[in-house]
């Protein structure tokens, strides 16, 4: 097993993946055990609703941190963890939604429809969840091949907007103390801001570099319109 | 000349350096000890906690519904001065000293007075009032309060004819409470005078037959069972009778969400929660919310002719 952090061997990478997988399961296991032991406080349904929502948000932000981290550290294998992290974010979102439908509303469809229509924080939360579904459904190699890299990538860029909706969902839920949602908003702003900044740098670079001679041109993904 | 001046501190009194350097650990441990002690305390059968027992008489105004567990009532609290998570007050409210404590009753009254808390406790016979408590967030409890009608206190100070409202102010000490202006401290609440004089409105000084725990608003709090919980101000230091409707903390924070009246009303939705149903703490499924929290028979008359959608 290679111990090089820069270019881990296949075996090391598998081990890292297994560890991340288990780490992502820990919050869920913790809640499940807490539920069984009746150790989730006076309002356990509120506790698991809240916790599953927060872990969705955290995992979304961690997923969004992969690209900047990879670029800053040069650890390109981090990209290999992104799909799993994104799918875990979706799994926690699905659990959050299921808890709401089942334990909170007990499938009272009328009340659920009214909630989605009348309560802005539920409207945006619901929208964020629905928009995550196509991303989760195309988080596999087959979908990437079918869609083609370019189209797959533009579809998956919608995660930026989804993360914003998720933070707004939390912000609007809070009654008065917005400190916690503000922290998430700040982190998200950093993660999106660094992308915007790098994109701007790339745009400037492309504008300043004279186009190569015709015979040297390779297909490049241009972000500056021709 | 050398003046021999005795050292200010005896060598025997100096904390050994090794211990001094572990002072945080000591604090953390004693904190953990306190929590363990509290856990033990709550684990004891009710009669073993007799130290703080209060003498009470039952009240015909009590509900016969099953009580919410003592542990839930004392660990699931909204008392933002001690933190916005519902488990924060039980952890932090112990910092508040509830003796000495005075309650000033002032404003439009014939006999303004400052009540020492121990005199306040003797103002009227203590009753057990088992009330439903409905939080604006959509959960509810059944709590055996100990207290006496607010009317008994108001009678003592002789409200003037011009008094129309009663304002309540909560103790605020930035040294031990939240400093961030999450709400406009000190927490203020208010009632119309006829609401304040209603026999259901009480000043509570205890629950479950014992002195009120700090996180529940010790040493004295308001309980108005037909209104959302936030109307029932905790740890009261000032009661002021006014002619103008007093500003209230949540109304100032979000006027479109929290009105002055804030009567429990399943037909008037809060922008963020349907108020049609509620979850009784300890139960899994929601139950329908009752008009005026089930006290319509006693209080509906107070609001005759008022549009409760407008005066929410």
């Amino acid at each position: 097993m290679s111990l090089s952090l820069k270019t881990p061997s296949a075996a090391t990478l598998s081990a890292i993946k297994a560890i991340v997988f288990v780490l992502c399961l820990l919050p869920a296991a913790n809640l499940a055990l807490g539920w069984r032991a009746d150790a989730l406080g006076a309002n356990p349904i509120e506790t698991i609703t809240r916790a599953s929502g927060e872990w969705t948000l955290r995992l979304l932000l961690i997923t969004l941190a992969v690209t900047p981290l990879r670029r800053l550290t040069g650890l390109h294998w981090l990209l290999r963890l992104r799909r799993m992290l994104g799918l875990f974010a979706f799994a926690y979102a699905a659990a959050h939604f299921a808890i709401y439908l089942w334990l909170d509303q007990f499938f009272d469809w009328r009340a659920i429809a009214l909630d989605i229509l009348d309560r802005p924080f539920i409207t945006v939360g619901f929208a964020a969840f629905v928009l995550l579904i196509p991303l989760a459904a195309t988080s596999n190699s087959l979908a990437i091949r079918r869609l083609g890299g370019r189209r797959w990538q533009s579809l998956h860029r919608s995660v930026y907007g989804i993360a914003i909706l998720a933070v707004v969902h939390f912000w609007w839920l809070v009654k008065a103390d917005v400190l916690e949602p503000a922290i998430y908003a700040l982190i998200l702003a950093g993660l999106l801001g660094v992308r915007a900044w790098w994109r701007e740098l790339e745009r400037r670079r492309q504008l300043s570099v004279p186009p190569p001679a015709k015979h040297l041109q390779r297909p490049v993904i241009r972000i500056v319109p021709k | 000349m050398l003046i021999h001046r005795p050292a200010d501190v005896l060598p025997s009194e100096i904390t050994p350096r090794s211990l001094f350097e572990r002072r945080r650990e000591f604090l953390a441990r004693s904190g953990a000890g306190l929590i363990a002690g509290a856990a033990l305390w709550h684990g004891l059968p009710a009669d073993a906690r007799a130290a703080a027992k209060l003498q009470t008489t039952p009240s015909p105004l009590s509900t016969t519904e099953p009580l919410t567990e003592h542990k839930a009532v004392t660990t699931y609290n909204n008392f933002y001065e001690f933190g916005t998570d519902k488990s924060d007050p039980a952890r932090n409210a112990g910092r508040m000293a509830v003796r000495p404590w005075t309650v000033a009753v002032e404003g439009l009254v014939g006999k303004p007075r400052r009540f020492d808390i121990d005199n306040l406790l003797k103002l009227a016979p203590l009753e057990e009032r088992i009330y439903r408590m409905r939080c604006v967030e959509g959960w509810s409890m059944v709590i055996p309060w100990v207290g006496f009608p607010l009317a008994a206190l108001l009678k003592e100070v002789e409200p003037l004819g011009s008094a129309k409202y009663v304002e309540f102010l909560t103790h605020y000490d930035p040294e031990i409470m939240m400093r961030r202006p999450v709400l406009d401290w000190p927490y203020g609440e208010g009632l119309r005078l006829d609401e304040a004089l209603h026999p259901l409105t009480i000043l509570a000084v205890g629950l479950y037959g014992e002195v009120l725990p700090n996180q529940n608003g010790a040493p004295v709090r308001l309980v108005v069972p037909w209104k959302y919980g936030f109307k029932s101000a905790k740890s009261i230091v000032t009661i002021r009778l006014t002619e103008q409707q007093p500003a209230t903390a949540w109304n100032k924070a979000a006027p479109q969400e929290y009105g002055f009246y804030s009567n429990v009303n399943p037909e008037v939705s809060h922008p963020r929660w349907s108020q049609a149903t509620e979850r009784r703490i300890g139960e899994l499924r929601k139950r329908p919310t009752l008009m005026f929290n089930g006290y319509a028979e006693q209080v509906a008359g107070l609001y005759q002719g008022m549009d409760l959608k407008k005066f929410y």
Side-chain angles (χ1 to χ4, degrees):
Chain A
M1 192 186 275
S2 155
L3 284 175
S4 157
L5 198 60
K6 209 84 182 169
T7 49
S9 67
T12 311
L13 196 61
S14 299
I16 292 171
K17 276 186 170 176
I19 291 166
V20 173
F21 186 86
V22 171
L23 285 178
C24 287
L25 277 176
L26 282 184
N30 191 31
L31 289 173
L33 291 175
W35 182 274
R36 278 196 56 177
D38 194 15
L40 298 179
N43 195 346
I45 296 175
E46 181 190 64
T47 306
I48 58 170
T49 308
R50 179 86 186 232
S52 56
E54 286 195 17
W55 279 104
T56 303
L57 201 45
R58 286 172 196 155
L59 284 161
L60 268 178
L61 296 182
I62 291 170
T63 309
L64 284 173
V66 166
T67 297
L69 264 183
R70 174 182 162 221
R71 179 150 170 183
L72 288 171
T73 61
L75 302 176
H76 297 294
W77 55 268
L78 285 173
L79 190 61
R80 310 271 296 270
L81 301 174
R82 193 172 62 179
R83 179 185 294 167
M84 180 165 61
L85 291 167
L87 283 171
F88 263 112
F90 177 74
Y92 277 92
H96 182 61
F97 189 59
I99 290 164
Y100 166 75
L101 290 183
W102 179 25
L103 294 175
D104 194 49
Q105 298 292 339
F106 271 96
F107 307 112
D108 181 347
W109 299 112
R110 200 180 147 269
I112 292 163
L114 282 175
D115 257 2
I116 293 172
L117 293 173
D118 283 357
R119 289 171 234 302
F121 91 91
I122 296 184
T123 315
V124 294
F126 180 71
F129 175 67
V130 170
L131 291 170
L132 267 180
I133 295 171
L135 305 197
T138 55
S139 285
N140 55 72
S141 311
L142 184 69
I144 298 176
R145 253 180 285 131
R146 285 236 175 116
L147 283 169
R150 195 81 60 94
R151 265 165 58 205
W152 183 89
Q153 197 177 34
S154 61
L155 171 66
H156 278 248
R157 283 208 173 114
S158 65
V159 74
Y160 304 149
I162 292 169
I164 292 172
L165 288 178
V167 170
V168 170
H169 171 61
F170 189 20
W171 194 295
W172 283 351
L173 153 78
V174 167
K175 281 206 299 183
D177 187 6
V178 293
L179 179 68
E180 250 187 276
I183 292 170
Y184 285 106
L186 210 66
I187 295 170
L188 179 62
L191 293 172
L192 297 184
V194 76
R195 285 173 165 81
W197 172 241
W198 281 336
R199 206 177 149 86
E200 173 63 18
L201 290 184
E202 174 64 13
R203 191 184 72 88
R204 287 185 198 169
R205 197 191 59 77
Q206 286 186 13
L207 284 177
S208 64
V209 175
K214 263 275 185 288
H215 69 278
L216 287 175
Q217 274 186 5
R218 288 188 304 147
V220 287
I221 299 177
R222 290 187 64 91
I223 60 173
V224 181
K226 282 188 187 163
Chain B
M1 187 173 115
L2 256 178
I3 301 173
H4 184 75
R5 195 170 150 270
D8 291 331
V9 182
L10 293 171
S12 62
E13 286 174 352
I14 297 172
T15 308
R17 188 189 177 93
S18 62
L19 272 182
F20 171 76
E21 284 172 348
R22 287 168 56 203
R23 64 197 185 280
R24 283 179 193 281
E25 188 188 330
F26 169 76
L27 280 175
R29 280 196 187 180
S30 47
L34 270 178
I35 291 165
L40 201 62
W41 174 262
H42 287 297
L44 289 174
D47 52 351
R49 296 189 238 127
K53 274 265 180 263
L54 296 167
Q55 285 295 319
T56 65
T57 54
S59 163
L61 295 167
S62 288
T63 169
T64 53
E65 288 164 80
L67 304 182
T68 303
E69 271 181 55
H70 180 270
K71 193 183 169 201
V73 174
T74 55
T75 56
Y76 189 73
N77 308 100
N78 276 324
F79 195 163
Y80 273 24
E81 286 86 337
F82 290 109
T84 54
D85 192 277
K86 277 189 259 300
S87 57
D88 287 340
R91 259 197 305 271
N92 301 330
R95 297 180 205 141
M96 178 171 63
V98 294
R99 290 292 185 287
W101 190 283
T102 54
V103 179
V105 189
E106 56 187 47
L108 302 174
V109 293
K111 291 181 179 169
R113 254 181 84 178
R114 289 179 77 85
F115 290 90
D116 181 79
I117 186 65
D118 292 308
N119 293 333
L120 196 70
L121 285 166
K122 293 180 204 124
L123 196 72
L126 295 182
E127 299 171 37
E128 183 179 66
R129 294 278 184 106
I130 305 172
Y131 282 163
R132 291 176 288 276
M133 205 283 292
R134 168 66 155 79
C135 179
V136 74
E137 296 164 353
W139 52 269
S140 63
M141 295 184 177
V142 176
I143 305 174
W145 299 108
V146 175
F148 57 85
L150 175 62
L153 174 103
L154 293 177
K155 206 162 63 190
E156 291 283 314
V157 296
E158 299 175 7
L160 301 178
S162 52
K164 299 280 184 292
Y165 294 93
V166 187
E167 182 180 18
F168 303 87
L169 293 177
T170 292
H171 174 61
Y172 180 62
D173 179 357
E175 293 295 314
I176 56 159
M177 288 171 168
M178 186 184 288
R179 287 177 214 192
R180 282 186 295 123
V182 170
L183 291 169
D184 185 8
W185 319 118
Y187 190 91
E189 256 309 336
L191 295 173
R192 227 167 49 190
L193 184 59
D194 57 345
E195 296 174 324
L197 291 170
H198 193 280
L200 279 172
T201 305
I202 59 166
L203 285 177
V205 297
L207 58 81
Y208 265 99
E210 297 160 11
V211 165
L212 210 55
N214 282 9
Q215 62 269 33
N216 294 87
V220 59
R221 65 169 295 168
L222 185 65
V223 176
V224 196
W226 71 92
K227 292 174 180 284
Y228 293 117
F230 67 88
K231 290 295 290 180
S232 297
K234 298 186 176 78
S235 305
I236 293 170
V237 289
T238 306
I239 298 176
R240 188 180 293 140
L241 283 87
T242 65
E243 193 172 359
Q244 304 297 324
Q245 182 176 299
T248 60
W250 280 102
N251 181 252
K252 279 190 269 182
Q256 70 290 357
E257 296 184 29
Y258 310 97
F260 175 78
Y261 286 92
S262 291
N263 293 314
V264 175
N265 187 338
E267 282 144 40
V268 177
S269 286
H270 181 276
R272 277 178 282 181
W273 303 285
S274 155
Q275 298 294 25
T277 58
E278 66 198 50
R279 174 166 292 114
R280 181 69 48 87
I281 294 301
E283 295 179 356
L284 207 54
R285 300 200 62 154
K286 290 187 173 180
R287 54 167 70 212
T289 288
L290 304 174
M291 189 65 201
F292 295 114
N293 202 22
Y295 297 97
E297 209 177 299
Q298 292 101 314
V299 301
L302 293 171
Y303 309 102
Q304 221 145 37
M306 278 175 71
D307 179 357
L308 295 177
K309 283 200 160 61
K310 191 171 160 213
F311 297 99
Y312 56 92

